[in-house]
Amino acid sequence: MKGIFPVDKLKEMRTPFYYYDVNILQQTLSVIRQEVAKYPGFVVHYAVKANANPKILSLISDEGLGADCVSGGEIRAAIRAGFPAQKIVFAGVGKSDWEINLALEYGIFCFNVESIPELKVINELAAAQNKVANVAFRINPDVGAHTHANITTGLAENKFGISMQDMDEVIDVSQAMKNVKFIGLHFHIGSQILDMNDFIALCNRINELQDKLEARRILVEHINVGGGLGIDYTHPNRQSIPNFREYFVTYARQLKLRSYQTLHFELGRSVVAQCGSLISRVLYVKQGTNKKFVILDAGMTDLIRPALYQAYHKIENITSDLPIETYDVVGPICESSDVFGKAIDLNKTYRGDLIALRSAGAYGEIMASGYNCRELPKGYLSDELI
Ligand SMILES: *Cc1c(COP(=O)(O)O)cnc(C)c1O
């Protein structure tokens, strides 16, 4: 073992691959369970898009969480992993007809609808199946989250959701339709949010909207605040479980939930990020003009977050205890952005060493691509290594 890693076993395996620590995942799920139990009316869905590894999905569905899906494929994966259709919500700005039909056939809990044209299509397709679809409207609260521009979703200029000015109109339109039932409001302001003030800003906005709706005698049974809770990428060992207590208590204190309302959450990153690492082997250590490069067999095709969002993942040499040296850690892909980190301190590194890219359980394996005709990385859970 070095840190959390069973190095002797990992050394024998073909790299690169994702390694998921089941203990960390289960501890995370149990903290969520304990914290949520304090608040009647709180319901947590797992955002499948963060990681749809079938074994991870099964562990999460065993804990009783619902699923937040953004495609027909995710709905299928969730059902296959044991999530009951009645606990599935379906979001996304561009749902295809076949995806809507699939969701109607399964009888999912709710569609999170993002426009009037989409609402019309859901109404028509539900009519054709002789069904009534529950719908919630995704409202764009125009609340900025202090996170990377590519992962904020709640500002007016974003493609997501329905603007607050249009909210009354969509509700009226839906109430005139026979095959949709308006049951809730949905929000999601972004991802990797660590400043609770961002969630407080969302709560304040929802409180205002609720007052306006009540003035119009419109009752909303379900409020869904999306996901977005961030994790500590810098210190994965020190804080392997996100601060769910602070997160849920923020909503409990700030959101004026009515007694008849249910508050839904859609957590992705915070559930799975810290349990996963991308394990890679050092192919070469190369002396450049001014610096040394560690060239890995994993690249941006296996973990795209650094190239896509300049995301930071802690990098560790898990097979060396030698004194620290400084390296640029890069992948083998023919793109200059295929860099995992610059000026990274690692124990002195040689060809054949194993490198772990930490906190890669969310938006890692699931975002892998076959660019350069590379094989997709596999994912292994700690309890299935022999
Ligand atoms: C991506 C997404 C989530 C999950 O976000 P995290 O930051 O991973 O918690 C939740 N809801 C919606 C609508 C999303 O698009």
Side-chain angles (χ1 to χ4, degrees), residues 199-239:
F199 297 122
I200 293 174
L202 173 62
C203 290
N204 292 339
R205 189 48 61 73
I206 296 173
N207 292 339
E208 290 164 25
L209 291 176
Q210 292 241 73
D211 290 343
K212 284 213 259 169
L213 288 170
E214 279 181 355
R216 292 189 59 209
R217 297 180 176 282
I218 293 172
L219 297 187
V220 183
E221 232 178 298
H222 299 275
I223 304 287
N224 183 332
V225 289
L229 177 61
I231 64 137
D232 190 342
Y233 281 98
T234 318
H235 305 291
N237 295 333
R238 208 187 299 165
Q239 210 191 345

Short mmCIF file of all heavy atoms in Angstrom, two decimals, residues 199-239:
data_model
loop_
_atom_site.label_atom_id
_atom_site.label_comp_id
_atom_site.label_asym_id
_atom_site.label_seq_id
_atom_site.Cartn_x
_atom_site.Cartn_y
_atom_site.Cartn_z
N PHE A 199 -25.00 29.07 -3.21
CA PHE A 199 -26.25 28.33 -2.97
C PHE A 199 -27.25 29.21 -2.22
O PHE A 199 -28.46 29.12 -2.45
CB PHE A 199 -25.97 27.04 -2.19
CG PHE A 199 -25.10 26.07 -2.94
CD1 PHE A 199 -23.88 25.63 -2.41
CD2 PHE A 199 -25.47 25.60 -4.20
CE1 PHE A 199 -23.08 24.72 -3.10
CE2 PHE A 199 -24.67 24.70 -4.90
CZ PHE A 199 -23.47 24.26 -4.36
N ILE A 200 -26.73 30.08 -1.34
CA ILE A 200 -27.63 31.00 -0.64
C ILE A 200 -28.30 31.94 -1.64
O ILE A 200 -29.50 32.20 -1.56
CB ILE A 200 -26.87 31.79 0.46
CG1 ILE A 200 -26.43 30.81 1.56
CG2 ILE A 200 -27.71 32.92 1.02
CD1 ILE A 200 -25.55 31.43 2.64
N ALA A 201 -27.52 32.42 -2.62
CA ALA A 201 -28.09 33.30 -3.65
C ALA A 201 -29.20 32.56 -4.40
O ALA A 201 -30.26 33.14 -4.71
CB ALA A 201 -27.01 33.76 -4.63
N LEU A 202 -28.99 31.29 -4.67
CA LEU A 202 -30.04 30.51 -5.35
C LEU A 202 -31.28 30.40 -4.45
O LEU A 202 -32.41 30.60 -4.93
CB LEU A 202 -29.50 29.12 -5.72
CG LEU A 202 -30.55 28.15 -6.28
CD1 LEU A 202 -31.15 28.68 -7.59
CD2 LEU A 202 -29.95 26.76 -6.51
N CYS A 203 -31.06 30.10 -3.17
CA CYS A 203 -32.21 29.99 -2.24
C CYS A 203 -33.01 31.28 -2.20
O CYS A 203 -34.24 31.27 -2.26
CB CYS A 203 -31.72 29.65 -0.84
SG CYS A 203 -31.06 27.99 -0.68
N ASN A 204 -32.29 32.42 -2.13
CA ASN A 204 -32.99 33.71 -2.08
C ASN A 204 -33.84 33.90 -3.33
O ASN A 204 -34.98 34.37 -3.26
CB ASN A 204 -32.00 34.85 -1.94
CG ASN A 204 -31.30 34.83 -0.58
OD1 ASN A 204 -31.81 34.22 0.36
ND2 ASN A 204 -30.14 35.45 -0.50
N ARG A 205 -33.28 33.54 -4.46
CA ARG A 205 -34.02 33.69 -5.71
C ARG A 205 -35.26 32.79 -5.72
O ARG A 205 -36.35 33.20 -6.11
CB ARG A 205 -33.08 33.34 -6.89
CG ARG A 205 -33.61 33.65 -8.25
CD ARG A 205 -34.19 35.02 -8.41
NE ARG A 205 -33.33 36.18 -8.18
CZ ARG A 205 -32.36 36.61 -8.99
NH1 ARG A 205 -32.09 35.98 -10.10
NH2 ARG A 205 -31.66 37.68 -8.71
N ILE A 206 -35.10 31.56 -5.25
CA ILE A 206 -36.24 30.64 -5.22
C ILE A 206 -37.31 31.18 -4.26
O ILE A 206 -38.51 31.13 -4.56
CB ILE A 206 -35.80 29.22 -4.82
CG1 ILE A 206 -34.84 28.65 -5.87
CG2 ILE A 206 -37.01 28.29 -4.66
CD1 ILE A 206 -34.21 27.31 -5.50
N ASN A 207 -36.89 31.72 -3.12
CA ASN A 207 -37.86 32.28 -2.17
C ASN A 207 -38.70 33.38 -2.84
O ASN A 207 -39.92 33.44 -2.66
CB ASN A 207 -37.16 32.84 -0.94
CG ASN A 207 -36.53 31.73 -0.09
OD1 ASN A 207 -36.92 30.56 -0.19
ND2 ASN A 207 -35.54 32.09 0.72
N GLU A 208 -38.02 34.24 -3.62
CA GLU A 208 -38.76 35.31 -4.32
C GLU A 208 -39.76 34.72 -5.31
O GLU A 208 -40.92 35.15 -5.37
CB GLU A 208 -37.79 36.18 -5.14
CG GLU A 208 -36.85 37.07 -4.35
CD GLU A 208 -35.68 37.57 -5.24
OE1 GLU A 208 -35.84 37.64 -6.49
OE2 GLU A 208 -34.62 37.85 -4.66
N LEU A 209 -39.29 33.74 -6.08
CA LEU A 209 -40.16 33.14 -7.10
C LEU A 209 -41.37 32.47 -6.44
O LEU A 209 -42.50 32.58 -6.92
CB LEU A 209 -39.40 32.11 -7.94
CG LEU A 209 -38.34 32.67 -8.88
CD1 LEU A 209 -37.59 31.53 -9.58
CD2 LEU A 209 -38.94 33.60 -9.92
N GLN A 210 -41.11 31.80 -5.32
CA GLN A 210 -42.21 31.11 -4.62
C GLN A 210 -43.27 32.12 -4.15
O GLN A 210 -44.46 31.86 -4.25
CB GLN A 210 -41.68 30.37 -3.40
CG GLN A 210 -40.79 29.21 -3.74
CD GLN A 210 -41.38 27.92 -3.20
OE1 GLN A 210 -42.37 27.42 -3.75
NE2 GLN A 210 -40.80 27.38 -2.15
N ASP A 211 -42.80 33.26 -3.62
CA ASP A 211 -43.77 34.27 -3.16
C ASP A 211 -44.63 34.74 -4.32
O ASP A 211 -45.84 34.91 -4.19
CB ASP A 211 -43.03 35.46 -2.52
CG ASP A 211 -42.39 35.07 -1.19
OD1 ASP A 211 -42.79 34.03 -0.62
OD2 ASP A 211 -41.49 35.80 -0.72
N LYS A 212 -43.97 34.96 -5.46
CA LYS A 212 -44.72 35.43 -6.63
C LYS A 212 -45.76 34.40 -7.07
O LYS A 212 -46.89 34.74 -7.43
CB LYS A 212 -43.77 35.72 -7.81
CG LYS A 212 -43.01 37.01 -7.66
CD LYS A 212 -42.77 37.63 -9.02
CE LYS A 212 -41.39 37.38 -9.51
NZ LYS A 212 -41.02 37.67 -10.83
N LEU A 213 -45.34 33.13 -7.06
CA LEU A 213 -46.27 32.08 -7.50
C LEU A 213 -47.43 31.95 -6.54
O LEU A 213 -48.58 31.80 -6.95
CB LEU A 213 -45.54 30.74 -7.61
CG LEU A 213 -44.59 30.64 -8.80
CD1 LEU A 213 -43.72 29.39 -8.69
CD2 LEU A 213 -45.36 30.63 -10.12
N GLU A 214 -47.14 32.04 -5.25
CA GLU A 214 -48.23 31.93 -4.28
C GLU A 214 -49.21 33.08 -4.41
O GLU A 214 -50.41 32.89 -4.22
CB GLU A 214 -47.66 31.84 -2.86
CG GLU A 214 -47.22 30.43 -2.56
CD GLU A 214 -46.67 30.24 -1.16
OE1 GLU A 214 -46.55 31.23 -0.42
OE2 GLU A 214 -46.36 29.09 -0.83
N ALA A 215 -48.69 34.25 -4.76
CA ALA A 215 -49.58 35.39 -4.98
C ALA A 215 -50.54 35.08 -6.14
O ALA A 215 -51.67 35.58 -6.18
CB ALA A 215 -48.77 36.64 -5.28
N ARG A 216 -50.07 34.23 -7.06
CA ARG A 216 -50.96 33.82 -8.17
C ARG A 216 -51.70 32.52 -7.84
O ARG A 216 -52.30 31.90 -8.70
CB ARG A 216 -50.13 33.59 -9.45
CG ARG A 216 -49.52 34.86 -10.04
CD ARG A 216 -48.92 34.56 -11.41
NE ARG A 216 -49.90 34.03 -12.35
CZ ARG A 216 -49.62 33.20 -13.35
NH1 ARG A 216 -48.38 32.79 -13.55
NH2 ARG A 216 -50.57 32.77 -14.14
N ARG A 217 -51.60 32.07 -6.61
CA ARG A 217 -52.24 30.84 -6.14
C ARG A 217 -51.77 29.60 -6.89
O ARG A 217 -52.51 28.66 -7.14
CB ARG A 217 -53.77 30.93 -6.25
CG ARG A 217 -54.32 32.02 -5.39
CD ARG A 217 -55.82 32.11 -5.48
NE ARG A 217 -56.30 33.12 -4.53
CZ ARG A 217 -56.43 32.91 -3.23
NH1 ARG A 217 -56.13 31.74 -2.71
NH2 ARG A 217 -56.86 33.88 -2.44
N ILE A 218 -50.50 29.63 -7.27
CA ILE A 218 -49.93 28.45 -7.91
C ILE A 218 -49.08 27.72 -6.88
O ILE A 218 -48.16 28.30 -6.31
CB ILE A 218 -49.08 28.84 -9.14
CG1 ILE A 218 -50.00 29.42 -10.21
CG2 ILE A 218 -48.29 27.64 -9.68
CD1 ILE A 218 -49.27 30.02 -11.38
N LEU A 219 -49.42 26.46 -6.61
CA LEU A 219 -48.67 25.69 -5.63
C LEU A 219 -47.72 24.74 -6.36
O LEU A 219 -48.10 24.11 -7.34
CB LEU A 219 -49.62 24.87 -4.75
CG LEU A 219 -50.59 25.69 -3.89
CD1 LEU A 219 -51.35 24.78 -2.94
CD2 LEU A 219 -49.88 26.79 -3.13
N VAL A 220 -46.52 24.69 -5.88
CA VAL A 220 -45.49 23.86 -6.51
C VAL A 220 -45.08 22.79 -5.50
O VAL A 220 -44.62 23.12 -4.41
CB VAL A 220 -44.26 24.72 -6.88
CG1 VAL A 220 -43.23 23.88 -7.60
CG2 VAL A 220 -44.68 25.90 -7.73
N GLU A 221 -45.26 21.53 -5.89
CA GLU A 221 -45.00 20.45 -4.94
C GLU A 221 -43.52 20.13 -4.79
O GLU A 221 -43.06 19.74 -3.74
CB GLU A 221 -45.70 19.20 -5.45
CG GLU A 221 -46.61 18.52 -4.47
CD GLU A 221 -47.26 17.32 -5.15
OE1 GLU A 221 -47.99 17.52 -6.15
OE2 GLU A 221 -46.97 16.21 -4.71
N HIS A 222 -42.79 20.29 -5.89
CA HIS A 222 -41.39 19.85 -5.89
C HIS A 222 -40.45 20.99 -6.28
O HIS A 222 -40.66 21.64 -7.30
CB HIS A 222 -41.19 18.68 -6.87
CG HIS A 222 -42.00 17.48 -6.51
ND1 HIS A 222 -41.59 16.54 -5.60
CD2 HIS A 222 -43.25 17.11 -6.90
CE1 HIS A 222 -42.53 15.61 -5.47
NE2 HIS A 222 -43.55 15.94 -6.24
N ILE A 223 -39.44 21.18 -5.46
CA ILE A 223 -38.38 22.12 -5.80
C ILE A 223 -37.11 21.29 -5.98
O ILE A 223 -36.77 20.46 -5.13
CB ILE A 223 -38.14 23.15 -4.66
CG1 ILE A 223 -39.43 23.89 -4.30
CG2 ILE A 223 -37.02 24.11 -5.04
CD1 ILE A 223 -39.89 24.90 -5.31
N ASN A 224 -36.45 21.50 -7.10
CA ASN A 224 -35.22 20.74 -7.38
C ASN A 224 -34.10 21.75 -7.58
O ASN A 224 -34.17 22.59 -8.47
CB ASN A 224 -35.45 19.90 -8.64
CG ASN A 224 -34.25 19.02 -8.98
OD1 ASN A 224 -33.12 19.37 -8.65
ND2 ASN A 224 -34.50 17.92 -9.64
N VAL A 225 -33.09 21.66 -6.72
CA VAL A 225 -32.02 22.68 -6.75
C VAL A 225 -30.77 22.19 -7.49
O VAL A 225 -29.71 22.83 -7.44
CB VAL A 225 -31.65 23.16 -5.34
CG1 VAL A 225 -32.79 24.00 -4.78
CG2 VAL A 225 -31.32 22.00 -4.41
N GLY A 226 -30.87 21.05 -8.18
CA GLY A 226 -29.73 20.58 -8.98
C GLY A 226 -28.58 20.11 -8.11
O GLY A 226 -28.76 19.70 -6.95
N GLY A 227 -27.38 20.19 -8.67
CA GLY A 227 -26.21 19.71 -7.93
C GLY A 227 -25.20 20.83 -7.80
O GLY A 227 -25.56 21.98 -7.57
N GLY A 228 -23.94 20.49 -7.94
CA GLY A 228 -22.92 21.53 -7.99
C GLY A 228 -21.96 21.58 -6.83
O GLY A 228 -20.96 22.31 -6.90
N LEU A 229 -22.22 20.83 -5.76
CA LEU A 229 -21.29 20.89 -4.63
C LEU A 229 -19.90 20.45 -5.07
O LEU A 229 -19.74 19.42 -5.71
CB LEU A 229 -21.80 20.00 -3.48
CG LEU A 229 -20.89 19.92 -2.25
CD1 LEU A 229 -20.69 21.29 -1.61
CD2 LEU A 229 -21.44 18.93 -1.24
N GLY A 230 -18.90 21.26 -4.71
CA GLY A 230 -17.54 20.99 -5.15
C GLY A 230 -16.78 20.07 -4.21
O GLY A 230 -17.25 19.73 -3.13
N ILE A 231 -15.60 19.69 -4.65
CA ILE A 231 -14.74 18.82 -3.83
C ILE A 231 -13.35 19.43 -3.73
O ILE A 231 -13.00 20.36 -4.46
CB ILE A 231 -14.62 17.40 -4.45
CG1 ILE A 231 -13.92 17.46 -5.82
CG2 ILE A 231 -15.99 16.76 -4.60
CD1 ILE A 231 -12.91 16.37 -5.99
N ASP A 232 -12.54 18.89 -2.83
CA ASP A 232 -11.18 19.41 -2.61
C ASP A 232 -10.19 18.67 -3.51
O ASP A 232 -9.71 17.60 -3.15
CB ASP A 232 -10.82 19.25 -1.13
CG ASP A 232 -9.53 19.99 -0.78
OD1 ASP A 232 -8.76 20.32 -1.71
OD2 ASP A 232 -9.30 20.24 0.41
N TYR A 233 -9.92 19.24 -4.67
CA TYR A 233 -8.98 18.60 -5.60
C TYR A 233 -7.54 18.69 -5.10
O TYR A 233 -6.71 17.88 -5.46
CB TYR A 233 -9.08 19.26 -6.99
CG TYR A 233 -10.26 18.77 -7.80
CD1 TYR A 233 -11.44 19.51 -7.86
CD2 TYR A 233 -10.21 17.58 -8.51
CE1 TYR A 233 -12.54 19.07 -8.60
CE2 TYR A 233 -11.29 17.12 -9.25
CZ TYR A 233 -12.45 17.87 -9.29
OH TYR A 233 -13.51 17.42 -10.02
N THR A 234 -7.26 19.71 -4.27
CA THR A 234 -5.88 19.90 -3.81
C THR A 234 -5.48 18.90 -2.74
O THR A 234 -4.34 18.45 -2.71
CB THR A 234 -5.72 21.34 -3.25
OG1 THR A 234 -6.40 22.23 -4.13
CG2 THR A 234 -4.26 21.73 -3.20
N HIS A 235 -6.44 18.57 -1.85
CA HIS A 235 -6.12 17.67 -0.72
C HIS A 235 -7.07 16.49 -0.68
O HIS A 235 -7.89 16.38 0.24
CB HIS A 235 -6.22 18.44 0.60
CG HIS A 235 -5.38 19.67 0.64
ND1 HIS A 235 -4.01 19.64 0.66
CD2 HIS A 235 -5.72 20.98 0.64
CE1 HIS A 235 -3.54 20.88 0.68
NE2 HIS A 235 -4.55 21.71 0.67
N PRO A 236 -6.98 15.58 -1.65
CA PRO A 236 -7.94 14.47 -1.68
C PRO A 236 -7.87 13.58 -0.44
O PRO A 236 -8.88 12.99 -0.07
CB PRO A 236 -7.55 13.69 -2.94
CG PRO A 236 -6.21 14.18 -3.33
CD PRO A 236 -6.03 15.54 -2.75
N ASN A 237 -6.72 13.51 0.22
CA ASN A 237 -6.64 12.65 1.41
C ASN A 237 -7.19 13.35 2.64
O ASN A 237 -7.89 12.75 3.44
CB ASN A 237 -5.19 12.24 1.69
CG ASN A 237 -4.65 11.36 0.57
OD1 ASN A 237 -5.42 10.67 -0.10
ND2 ASN A 237 -3.35 11.41 0.36
N ARG A 238 -6.88 14.64 2.77
CA ARG A 238 -7.33 15.39 3.93
C ARG A 238 -8.85 15.53 3.92
O ARG A 238 -9.50 15.44 4.93
CB ARG A 238 -6.69 16.78 3.92
CG ARG A 238 -6.53 17.38 5.28
CD ARG A 238 -6.06 18.82 5.22
NE ARG A 238 -4.77 19.00 4.58
CZ ARG A 238 -4.32 20.18 4.17
NH1 ARG A 238 -5.05 21.27 4.31
NH2 ARG A 238 -3.13 20.28 3.60
N GLN A 239 -9.43 15.78 2.74
CA GLN A 239 -10.88 15.94 2.68
C GLN A 239 -11.45 15.02 1.61
O GLN A 239 -11.83 15.44 0.52
CB GLN A 239 -11.27 17.40 2.42
CG GLN A 239 -12.62 17.71 3.06
CD GLN A 239 -13.20 19.03 2.63
OE1 GLN A 239 -12.53 19.88 2.07
NE2 GLN A 239 -14.49 19.20 2.89
#
